[in-house]
Amino acid sequence: MDNTRRLDIPDARGKVEVDGVLGLLYKIRIDGDVIKRRKGAWDIPLRKGGVAKLTSNGLLPGFQTLRLDGTPILKMGAHVEPAVKVAMFAPLLLILWSFIGAILAVIMFFTNIFLVKNPQMPRALRLGLPIVNTAVMAMVLTVLQVPSPIF
């Protein structure tokens, strides 16, 4: 399971990589050195002089698309099927239980991102585990009878 991907950027001065493609957060590296994002983009120096702008867009953490001067070059999490992405949101149902349920929902949502992006995990587990974990946590919250400040 390789968490680093090399970006195919023609004429780039050095080897450009994305470290952390299977997680929530990622870093852009040139020849192993992390470069900083400035004004919403990473500057990639070119051999002929000048720079190319590498940007990212996307709402879901860990599922952004990297674009080089507007052209998509890497879509993180592209291997995740749409049904699995929907199942990843199952913990948000815990918000209905209580404030504690809402906190658990956020924590479980972010851990589900790691789960569904893991290519070594069988598809059935990537689809089923977020749902089963949510159901178990809902039962625990129901048994504990945590009072809700909302209702």
Side-chain angles (χ1 to χ4, degrees):
M1 179 167 75
D2 189 22
N3 203 21
T4 302
R5 298 268 163 76
R6 184 166 183 184
L7 296 179
D8 184 27
I9 299 178
D11 296 330
R13 196 180 325 143
K15 183 171 75 169
V16 182
E17 299 174 319
V18 180
D19 184 23
V21 293
L22 296 177
L24 284 171
L25 305 174
Y26 56 93
K27 299 176 219 167
I28 306 296
R29 297 179 186 265
I30 297 178
D31 290 333
D33 296 328
V34 176
I35 59 173
K36 300 288 182 193
R37 191 174 189 172
R38 298 184 202 290
K39 297 183 182 179
W42 294 273
D43 291 332
I44 308 297
L46 301 176
R47 282 187 218 131
K48 298 176 185 176
V51 295
K53 298 285 186 187
L54 183 67
T55 59
S56 74
N57 66 341
L59 293 176
L60 287 177
F63 289 92
Q64 289 87 8
T65 300
L66 293 179
R67 298 175 183 272
L68 182 67
D69 294 327
T71 304
I73 60 170
L74 177 66
K75 185 170 181 168
M76 292 184 272
H79 64 284
V80 179
E81 301 86 0
V84 176
K85 285 183 185 177
V86 170
M88 180 176 72
F89 285 93
L92 297 181
L93 293 172
L94 296 176
I95 292 172
L96 299 174
W97 267 259
S98 66
F99 179 71
I100 305 233
I103 293 170
L104 287 172
V106 171
I107 292 169
M108 289 176 66
F109 173 75
F110 286 122
T111 58
N112 280 345
I113 292 174
F114 289 105
L115 172 75
V116 301
K117 287 181 73 176
N118 186 347
Q120 294 179 336
M121 184 77 65
R123 182 185 185 275
L125 283 177
R126 287 189 284 150
L127 181 63
L129 275 177
I131 296 168
V132 170
N133 288 342
T134 301
V136 167
M137 198 54 66
M139 286 188 269
V140 167
L141 290 173
T142 301
V143 167
L144 292 177
Q145 296 281 329
V146 177
S148 172
I150 299 172
F151 301 110

